[in-house]
Amino acid sequence: MPGRILVAIGAPNGDIRQLNHHCEAATGLALAECRGQPVWQRLAAPEHAETMREGFLRAAAGEDVPDQHGSWQARDGKRFAVHWGYSGLRDADGQTQGVVVTGADMRVADRMQAELSEALDRHQAILDTAVDGILTIDGAGRVQSFNRAAERIFGYRAVEVLGRNVSMLMPQPYRAEHDGYLHNYLTTRRKKIIGLGREVEGLRKDGTVFPLDLSVGEVVVSGQRVFTGIIRDITDRKQIEQEARRRQDELAHMARVHSMGDLAAGLAHEINQPLTAILGFSGACSRMIDAGTADMALLRDSMQQIARQGERAAEVIRRLRKYVEKGEIEQQPSDLGASVHEVLELLQHELKVNSVRVLTKVPDALPQLLLDRVQIEQVLVNLVRNAVQAMVEARVSAPELQIEGAVSDAPVGVSVTVRDNGPGFGGNPPDQLFAPFFTTKKDGLGQGLSICRRIVEAHGGRIWAERNQPGGAAFSLWLPLPPPGGAGVHEIRGAA
Ligand code: ADP
């Protein structure tokens, strides 16, 4: 709202010559009725008339008169506060032709002041009732505002934080690095967090470190750069996520234990071979010794064979134990190709007895991914066993499995596709294929693919099915490459 300026022009002796519209409106006077009367008589309240008269006449005499403050009086007797000043009107010869009285109607100014402070109160109330913590910092990283939610989240009162460097709210090493991030941004303008949301760590007054979602905006107010941070404490969400993750791991583990029976039957077969060989070699050794014909070189050769077969059997058992073990869930640098080979070893009996021809096209040097190997191998076991079951059930005469690994550029990652020449889905894969309890098998549980999907998604990847050409099903999974140099976490947490 523009401030109302009341203007009256008087002759050097004070007679009113002009009133502007605002002056007429504020006083209720019409120029016609007061023209020629002294300015101070018609405008000023009686007790300020003398002050105005004196000021006016001094201004008319060419003096610089300081501004005055007092009451003016309207036609109906109502008074109102005005802050006014004088300026002389002079002609080319320096003769005073009149004096302009310029008054600021303080009712308007007061109202504006009241409205401004109300707006500020409202603004503060909004900030204070916000569920999210909101804080602003200047270009040097000093905290300029800190709302109630921020007080609650960090455990500091606003007064303890205002004016201090925002890095006090971050744990090391980000605390030490924050000024550098800010400086970097201000010099390079390269945005790492501004305009984006990031998951970062915060430090409470009591020293605890907690996860938070931070989004940062940048504004320039009256030439000053201000960064606004909106903060959400996600400790609870993280705990829920962790719990969900734990349950999912339990479920995945149960599914592995469930499949152990089948796998063990196959592996028992695998162990039979080395055991039979061991028995054969040891029997031969005994006979040589009994007959007194033991040739040292021959005995040693047989013992080596026994040891080798023993290792083979132990390897089979190790593989099965590893598959069902329930270790700490951890993602470690790992090669997806190695997992494909491990899974084919684990299932070799099942593949053999069902006469499945296996073609693998997995490049030797696939880039390393961050994997929970046991779980990713569980996904591959599921896909391969589903394919074998589908082909066997449909009595495919020459069952064939193709496993292909590839590096993908956009998005950057590694994919593995398992194709079979079974019955496929009788068209496009059904929408609910990866939903829990979806099964077309008599004794199926319909958990396999839904667990696969959860495992792959927990790795930040994707899994999908397609019809294979010329027939059968194709299941693919794609897993992302870890952030370059493993620096992702650091950058994410610490970026300005
Ligand atoms: P289940 O094996 O207990 O049925 P899954 O979740 O592993 O549970 O599989 C769900 C369904 O997906 C299967 O019942 C089957 O209909 C379909 N399916 C999975 N793999 C294949 C495949 N290779 N070919 C055809 N159908 C498949």
Side-chain angles (χ1 to χ4, degrees), residues 386-387 390 420 424-425 433 438-441 444-449 473 475:
N386 272 349
D420 62 58
F425 315 100
L433 189 64
F438 173 79
T439 181
T440 55
K441 298 173 192 166
L445 292 174
Q447 291 297 317
L449 290 179
F475 282 84

Side-chain angles (χ1 to χ4, degrees), residues 292-336:
T293 57
D295 168 349
M296 276 308 161
L298 216 61
L299 271 180
R300 156 180 267 234
D301 193 45
S302 300
M303 296 308 247
Q304 277 173 352
Q305 282 289 353
I306 289 172
R308 213 168 296 141
Q309 296 298 329
E311 273 164 21
R312 221 180 109 190
E315 176 66 13
V316 172
I317 291 168
R318 179 200 62 78
R319 198 166 276 137
L320 182 66
R321 274 178 56 179
K322 204 168 135 247
Y323 184 67
V324 291
E325 87 187 358
K326 188 171 169 230
E328 273 298 297
I329 301 304
E330 45 180 359
Q331 300 194 346
Q332 285 180 336
S334 201
D335 173 2
L336 200 50

Side-chain angles (χ1 to χ4, degrees), residues 76-126:
D76 60 6
K78 275 202 191 118
R79 291 145 179 277
F80 53 97
V82 179
H83 187 92
W84 72 90
Y86 308 91
S87 41
L89 292 171
R90 275 172 258 290
D91 62 15
D93 302 329
Q95 289 296 314
T96 301
Q97 297 299 312
V99 172
V100 182
V101 181
T102 316
D105 183 345
M106 298 311 281
R107 287 174 304 179
V108 176
D110 288 350
R111 201 160 57 236
M112 278 169 70
Q113 177 88 36
E115 277 172 16
L116 188 65
S117 69
E118 195 188 311
L120 283 174
D121 286 352
R122 215 170 330 145
H123 178 72
Q124 192 60 42
I126 291 171

